Amino acid sequence: MSFNVAAMNNNNLSSVASTEEIRSHFPALNRQYNGHPVAYFDGPGGTQVPRAVAEAISDYLFHHNANTHWAYPTSAETDQLLLEARETFADFFNCEASEVSFGANMTTITFHIGRALGRGWNPGDEIVITELDHHANADTWRELAKDRGLTIRTVKLLTETGQLDWDDLESAINRNTKLMAIGAASNALGTINDVQRAARLAHEFGALVYVDAVHYASHELPDVRELECDFLACSAYKFYGPHIGVLYGRGDLLQSLDVPKLQPASNEAPDRLETGTQNHEGIVGAAAAVNFLAALAKEGAEGSTRRERLQNSFAALHSRGDELLKQLWEGLHAIEGVTVFGPEPNQPRTSTISFTVKDIPSEEVTKHLVERGVFTSHGDFYAQTVVERLGKVEQGLVRVGCACYTTADEVARLIDGVREIAKS
Ligand SMILES: Cc1ncc(COP(=O)(O)O)c(C=O)c1O
């Protein structure tokens, strides 16, 4: 690899655009609420969008809008833009363009892949899921199990550490396992899982590995070769793009999968995975989001490829996120009555934190914060099992996530707001 994270850290992140410069790309950050500039901590639910992404979408709709594969310029331009988007995501995932397909969102893509895989599975076959996962990577497989008479095994979450119970994971996989479904990072607790380790265990038994990288991809650049997964799904709206899902699938699998499709539609991968007319403008916008992230790499860190620029940008943004995470973690921990969940900052994790304040319902906490222009999320975020295991079903969790535009000042405002609520 030609980039050097240590050197970048030493350069004090000057190799990536400053937070101030990054912020200038996001019109949403000019919003005021109740006399305060809005601080968006709702990134794990969906991030704000830079101008370049919205412009790419409107440029497509105004100047290139057409259906595919016809003999006139706008149709040919659409074909070309979709191809370029696949190439962009090939750099994002570290795979081939033919291994990239698009869909409505991660959940819909996962149902679709499940339906295809399930055609070859029968009673006695097993799927391993985890308690830490968003239900998009759990209930999709539970539904398939209902349809096909399959057995589900669920790996335990260790609530004290916010990490998976790896002994339980090892014992859940056996020669009947057809699929291991695992999240690369938890959208509720920020935990980053060792996907490669899970993949190696699953592959020993010939099982496939389906990775939910929706939360992960906003913080870490996926590398499907390094993760050794068979499928990896993410959603562009979590990393500064529009509402659309993207899937990596191993080339031979995408070509051979018995996927439900219309007879006249192309049978070539990756098109055979995509049903009906695609969200062209969304695909173009998603690629623009990846290019936006790559373009954050500054002189001296551009690398010679888009993948290298992405690596440099993500490495620098990760270091920035780590600083904000420490500030958040320490600030929240110091407040009496606040309980913070998930792995300690020195463990593999993203800069997303969930907490409770005394026994105040999470929605009430977020409403108080809104008065200060601080936008956070509450509830279970569809990571319902995590919230059940933490015993917080009634109260819910307050979730705050740092994004590339988050500042230390915003984190301080958040902590002040929580302190005030905890005092009341
Ligand atoms: C970790 C995780 N997985 C899956 C999903 C579902 O993604 P989508 O909304 O694209 O279906 C989400 C959405 O919040 C998520 O955070």
Side-chain angles (χ1 to χ4, degrees), residues 334-356:
I335 303 171
E336 214 185 307
V338 171
T339 309
V340 185
F341 301 97
E344 305 253 338
N346 60 2
Q347 295 297 310
R349 61 158 17 265
T350 70
S351 49
T352 293
I353 286 192
S354 286
F355 61 94
T356 51

PDB file of all heavy atoms in Angstrom, residues 334-356:
ATOM      1  N   ALA A 334     -18.298  11.829  32.412  1.00  0.00           N
ATOM      2  CA  ALA A 334     -18.093  12.678  33.597  1.00  0.00           C
ATOM      3  C   ALA A 334     -19.424  13.203  34.152  1.00  0.00           C
ATOM      4  O   ALA A 334     -19.448  13.796  35.228  1.00  0.00           O
ATOM      5  CB  ALA A 334     -17.196  13.852  33.200  1.00  0.00           C
ATOM      6  N   ILE A 335     -20.521  12.986  33.440  1.00  0.00           N
ATOM      7  CA  ILE A 335     -21.816  13.532  33.896  1.00  0.00           C
ATOM      8  C   ILE A 335     -22.541  12.497  34.753  1.00  0.00           C
ATOM      9  O   ILE A 335     -22.780  11.366  34.302  1.00  0.00           O
ATOM     10  CB  ILE A 335     -22.700  13.929  32.688  1.00  0.00           C
ATOM     11  CG1 ILE A 335     -21.963  14.934  31.796  1.00  0.00           C
ATOM     12  CG2 ILE A 335     -24.033  14.499  33.155  1.00  0.00           C
ATOM     13  CD1 ILE A 335     -22.662  15.233  30.474  1.00  0.00           C
ATOM     14  N   GLU A 336     -22.883  12.890  35.973  1.00  0.00           N
ATOM     15  CA  GLU A 336     -23.582  11.965  36.862  1.00  0.00           C
ATOM     16  C   GLU A 336     -24.957  11.642  36.287  1.00  0.00           C
ATOM     17  O   GLU A 336     -25.665  12.550  35.829  1.00  0.00           O
ATOM     18  CB  GLU A 336     -23.748  12.639  38.230  1.00  0.00           C
ATOM     19  CG  GLU A 336     -23.675  11.626  39.357  1.00  0.00           C
ATOM     20  CD  GLU A 336     -23.975  12.304  40.676  1.00  0.00           C
ATOM     21  OE1 GLU A 336     -23.304  13.317  40.962  1.00  0.00           O
ATOM     22  OE2 GLU A 336     -24.883  11.830  41.366  1.00  0.00           O
ATOM     23  N   GLY A 337     -25.297  10.366  36.276  1.00  0.00           N
ATOM     24  CA  GLY A 337     -26.615   9.971  35.764  1.00  0.00           C
ATOM     25  C   GLY A 337     -26.581   9.539  34.305  1.00  0.00           C
ATOM     26  O   GLY A 337     -27.575   9.020  33.796  1.00  0.00           O
ATOM     27  N   VAL A 338     -25.432   9.745  33.641  1.00  0.00           N
ATOM     28  CA  VAL A 338     -25.330   9.315  32.232  1.00  0.00           C
ATOM     29  C   VAL A 338     -24.665   7.942  32.164  1.00  0.00           C
ATOM     30  O   VAL A 338     -23.631   7.718  32.803  1.00  0.00           O
ATOM     31  CB  VAL A 338     -24.522  10.339  31.394  1.00  0.00           C
ATOM     32  CG1 VAL A 338     -24.225   9.784  30.000  1.00  0.00           C
ATOM     33  CG2 VAL A 338     -25.294  11.650  31.278  1.00  0.00           C
ATOM     34  N   THR A 339     -25.275   7.021  31.437  1.00  0.00           N
ATOM     35  CA  THR A 339     -24.657   5.705  31.199  1.00  0.00           C
ATOM     36  C   THR A 339     -24.334   5.604  29.709  1.00  0.00           C
ATOM     37  O   THR A 339     -25.217   5.793  28.867  1.00  0.00           O
ATOM     38  CB  THR A 339     -25.637   4.567  31.573  1.00  0.00           C
ATOM     39  OG1 THR A 339     -26.122   4.810  32.888  1.00  0.00           O
ATOM     40  CG2 THR A 339     -24.953   3.208  31.513  1.00  0.00           C
ATOM     41  N   VAL A 340     -23.063   5.349  29.420  1.00  0.00           N
ATOM     42  CA  VAL A 340     -22.626   5.234  28.027  1.00  0.00           C
ATOM     43  C   VAL A 340     -22.429   3.750  27.711  1.00  0.00           C
ATOM     44  O   VAL A 340     -21.860   3.014  28.514  1.00  0.00           O
ATOM     45  CB  VAL A 340     -21.295   5.998  27.804  1.00  0.00           C
ATOM     46  CG1 VAL A 340     -20.920   5.970  26.336  1.00  0.00           C
ATOM     47  CG2 VAL A 340     -21.420   7.436  28.281  1.00  0.00           C
ATOM     48  N   PHE A 341     -22.892   3.320  26.554  1.00  0.00           N
ATOM     49  CA  PHE A 341     -22.795   1.902  26.174  1.00  0.00           C
ATOM     50  C   PHE A 341     -21.771   1.706  25.051  1.00  0.00           C
ATOM     51  O   PHE A 341     -21.402   2.659  24.371  1.00  0.00           O
ATOM     52  CB  PHE A 341     -24.167   1.400  25.710  1.00  0.00           C
ATOM     53  CG  PHE A 341     -25.226   1.548  26.766  1.00  0.00           C
ATOM     54  CD1 PHE A 341     -26.079   2.645  26.770  1.00  0.00           C
ATOM     55  CD2 PHE A 341     -25.341   0.609  27.787  1.00  0.00           C
ATOM     56  CE1 PHE A 341     -27.046   2.796  27.755  1.00  0.00           C
ATOM     57  CE2 PHE A 341     -26.304   0.751  28.777  1.00  0.00           C
ATOM     58  CZ  PHE A 341     -27.160   1.850  28.756  1.00  0.00           C
ATOM     59  N   GLY A 342     -21.375   0.455  24.884  1.00  0.00           N
ATOM     60  CA  GLY A 342     -20.493   0.129  23.755  1.00  0.00           C
ATOM     61  C   GLY A 342     -19.026   0.075  24.146  1.00  0.00           C
ATOM     62  O   GLY A 342     -18.653   0.344  25.293  1.00  0.00           O
ATOM     63  N   PRO A 343     -18.184  -0.284  23.178  1.00  0.00           N
ATOM     64  CA  PRO A 343     -16.759  -0.484  23.454  1.00  0.00           C
ATOM     65  C   PRO A 343     -16.054   0.815  23.857  1.00  0.00           C
ATOM     66  O   PRO A 343     -16.445   1.895  23.424  1.00  0.00           O
ATOM     67  CB  PRO A 343     -16.193  -0.975  22.122  1.00  0.00           C
ATOM     68  CG  PRO A 343     -17.345  -1.257  21.246  1.00  0.00           C
ATOM     69  CD  PRO A 343     -18.517  -0.516  21.763  1.00  0.00           C
ATOM     70  N   GLU A 344     -15.028   0.663  24.680  1.00  0.00           N
ATOM     71  CA  GLU A 344     -14.190   1.804  25.088  1.00  0.00           C
ATOM     72  C   GLU A 344     -13.520   2.391  23.835  1.00  0.00           C
ATOM     73  O   GLU A 344     -13.302   1.673  22.853  1.00  0.00           O
ATOM     74  CB  GLU A 344     -13.074   1.306  26.004  1.00  0.00           C
ATOM     75  CG  GLU A 344     -13.561   0.534  27.204  1.00  0.00           C
ATOM     76  CD  GLU A 344     -13.418   1.336  28.482  1.00  0.00           C
ATOM     77  OE1 GLU A 344     -12.595   2.259  28.492  1.00  0.00           O
ATOM     78  OE2 GLU A 344     -14.146   1.034  29.435  1.00  0.00           O
ATOM     79  N   PRO A 345     -13.101   3.663  23.933  1.00  0.00           N
ATOM     80  CA  PRO A 345     -12.491   4.303  22.751  1.00  0.00           C
ATOM     81  C   PRO A 345     -11.222   3.596  22.242  1.00  0.00           C
ATOM     82  O   PRO A 345     -10.887   3.731  21.074  1.00  0.00           O
ATOM     83  CB  PRO A 345     -12.141   5.704  23.247  1.00  0.00           C
ATOM     84  CG  PRO A 345     -13.075   5.947  24.370  1.00  0.00           C
ATOM     85  CD  PRO A 345     -13.330   4.617  25.012  1.00  0.00           C
ATOM     86  N   ASN A 346     -10.537   2.843  23.115  1.00  0.00           N
ATOM     87  CA  ASN A 346      -9.320   2.178  22.624  1.00  0.00           C
ATOM     88  C   ASN A 346      -9.611   0.855  21.899  1.00  0.00           C
ATOM     89  O   ASN A 346      -8.704   0.179  21.435  1.00  0.00           O
ATOM     90  CB  ASN A 346      -8.328   1.954  23.770  1.00  0.00           C
ATOM     91  CG  ASN A 346      -8.920   1.089  24.857  1.00  0.00           C
ATOM     92  OD1 ASN A 346     -10.053   0.619  24.736  1.00  0.00           O
ATOM     93  ND2 ASN A 346      -8.167   0.865  25.923  1.00  0.00           N
ATOM     94  N   GLN A 347     -10.881   0.492  21.796  1.00  0.00           N
ATOM     95  CA  GLN A 347     -11.273  -0.735  21.089  1.00  0.00           C
ATOM     96  C   GLN A 347     -11.670  -0.379  19.645  1.00  0.00           C
ATOM     97  O   GLN A 347     -11.986   0.780  19.374  1.00  0.00           O
ATOM     98  CB  GLN A 347     -12.473  -1.379  21.790  1.00  0.00           C
ATOM     99  CG  GLN A 347     -12.177  -1.881  23.180  1.00  0.00           C
ATOM    100  CD  GLN A 347     -11.140  -2.986  23.166  1.00  0.00           C
ATOM    101  OE1 GLN A 347     -11.255  -3.941  22.408  1.00  0.00           O
ATOM    102  NE2 GLN A 347     -10.091  -2.834  23.975  1.00  0.00           N
ATOM    103  N   PRO A 348     -11.700  -1.393  18.756  1.00  0.00           N
ATOM    104  CA  PRO A 348     -12.136  -1.080  17.391  1.00  0.00           C
ATOM    105  C   PRO A 348     -13.591  -0.583  17.397  1.00  0.00           C
ATOM    106  O   PRO A 348     -14.487  -1.321  17.802  1.00  0.00           O
ATOM    107  CB  PRO A 348     -12.035  -2.424  16.663  1.00  0.00           C
ATOM    108  CG  PRO A 348     -11.167  -3.272  17.525  1.00  0.00           C
ATOM    109  CD  PRO A 348     -11.321  -2.790  18.929  1.00  0.00           C
ATOM    110  N   ARG A 349     -13.784   0.661  17.026  1.00  0.00           N
ATOM    111  CA  ARG A 349     -15.146   1.223  17.034  1.00  0.00           C
ATOM    112  C   ARG A 349     -15.222   2.466  16.154  1.00  0.00           C
ATOM    113  O   ARG A 349     -14.205   3.031  15.768  1.00  0.00           O
ATOM    114  CB  ARG A 349     -15.613   1.541  18.467  1.00  0.00           C
ATOM    115  CG  ARG A 349     -14.745   2.554  19.154  1.00  0.00           C
ATOM    116  CD  ARG A 349     -15.302   3.345  20.322  1.00  0.00           C
ATOM    117  NE  ARG A 349     -16.471   2.966  21.036  1.00  0.00           N
ATOM    118  CZ  ARG A 349     -17.683   3.438  20.769  1.00  0.00           C
ATOM    119  NH1 ARG A 349     -17.870   4.268  19.741  1.00  0.00           N
ATOM    120  NH2 ARG A 349     -18.714   3.083  21.510  1.00  0.00           N
ATOM    121  N   THR A 350     -16.436   2.867  15.858  1.00  0.00           N
ATOM    122  CA  THR A 350     -16.652   4.105  15.126  1.00  0.00           C
ATOM    123  C   THR A 350     -16.898   5.218  16.151  1.00  0.00           C
ATOM    124  O   THR A 350     -16.961   4.964  17.360  1.00  0.00           O
ATOM    125  CB  THR A 350     -17.879   3.993  14.200  1.00  0.00           C
ATOM    126  OG1 THR A 350     -19.056   3.938  15.025  1.00  0.00           O
ATOM    127  CG2 THR A 350     -17.804   2.771  13.304  1.00  0.00           C
ATOM    128  N   SER A 351     -17.092   6.432  15.641  1.00  0.00           N
ATOM    129  CA  SER A 351     -17.331   7.562  16.549  1.00  0.00           C
ATOM    130  C   SER A 351     -18.830   7.760  16.797  1.00  0.00           C
ATOM    131  O   SER A 351     -19.306   8.884  16.869  1.00  0.00           O
ATOM    132  CB  SER A 351     -16.700   8.820  15.954  1.00  0.00           C
ATOM    133  OG  SER A 351     -17.086   8.958  14.601  1.00  0.00           O
ATOM    134  N   THR A 352     -19.554   6.646  16.907  1.00  0.00           N
ATOM    135  CA  THR A 352     -20.989   6.688  17.239  1.00  0.00           C
ATOM    136  C   THR A 352     -21.171   6.173  18.665  1.00  0.00           C
ATOM    137  O   THR A 352     -20.666   5.099  19.000  1.00  0.00           O
ATOM    138  CB  THR A 352     -21.782   5.798  16.255  1.00  0.00           C
ATOM    139  OG1 THR A 352     -21.698   6.391  14.957  1.00  0.00           O
ATOM    140  CG2 THR A 352     -23.238   5.666  16.658  1.00  0.00           C
ATOM    141  N   ILE A 353     -21.888   6.942  19.470  1.00  0.00           N
ATOM    142  CA  ILE A 353     -22.052   6.575  20.881  1.00  0.00           C
ATOM    143  C   ILE A 353     -23.527   6.598  21.253  1.00  0.00           C
ATOM    144  O   ILE A 353     -24.258   7.501  20.851  1.00  0.00           O
ATOM    145  CB  ILE A 353     -21.288   7.584  21.779  1.00  0.00           C
ATOM    146  CG1 ILE A 353     -19.782   7.343  21.691  1.00  0.00           C
ATOM    147  CG2 ILE A 353     -21.753   7.502  23.215  1.00  0.00           C
ATOM    148  CD1 ILE A 353     -18.983   8.080  22.736  1.00  0.00           C
ATOM    149  N   SER A 354     -23.947   5.596  22.045  1.00  0.00           N
ATOM    150  CA  SER A 354     -25.313   5.609  22.569  1.00  0.00           C
ATOM    151  C   SER A 354     -25.259   5.702  24.086  1.00  0.00           C
ATOM    152  O   SER A 354     -24.363   5.142  24.726  1.00  0.00           O
ATOM    153  CB  SER A 354     -26.055   4.349  22.150  1.00  0.00           C
ATOM    154  OG  SER A 354     -26.381   4.443  20.788  1.00  0.00           O
ATOM    155  N   PHE A 355     -26.242   6.400  24.654  1.00  0.00           N
ATOM    156  CA  PHE A 355     -26.250   6.582  26.115  1.00  0.00           C
ATOM    157  C   PHE A 355     -27.674   6.795  26.612  1.00  0.00           C
ATOM    158  O   PHE A 355     -28.602   7.026  25.811  1.00  0.00           O
ATOM    159  CB  PHE A 355     -25.347   7.752  26.526  1.00  0.00           C
ATOM    160  CG  PHE A 355     -25.760   9.089  25.966  1.00  0.00           C
ATOM    161  CD1 PHE A 355     -26.580   9.942  26.705  1.00  0.00           C
ATOM    162  CD2 PHE A 355     -25.355   9.503  24.709  1.00  0.00           C
ATOM    163  CE1 PHE A 355     -26.969  11.185  26.203  1.00  0.00           C
ATOM    164  CE2 PHE A 355     -25.746  10.738  24.188  1.00  0.00           C
ATOM    165  CZ  PHE A 355     -26.547  11.579  24.934  1.00  0.00           C
ATOM    166  N   THR A 356     -27.807   6.723  27.939  1.00  0.00           N
ATOM    167  CA  THR A 356     -29.067   7.100  28.577  1.00  0.00           C
ATOM    168  C   THR A 356     -28.758   8.155  29.621  1.00  0.00           C
ATOM    169  O   THR A 356     -27.617   8.249  30.111  1.00  0.00           O
ATOM    170  CB  THR A 356     -29.753   5.904  29.267  1.00  0.00           C
ATOM    171  OG1 THR A 356     -28.795   5.268  30.127  1.00  0.00           O
ATOM    172  CG2 THR A 356     -30.280   4.893  28.270  1.00  0.00           C
TER     173      THR A 356
END
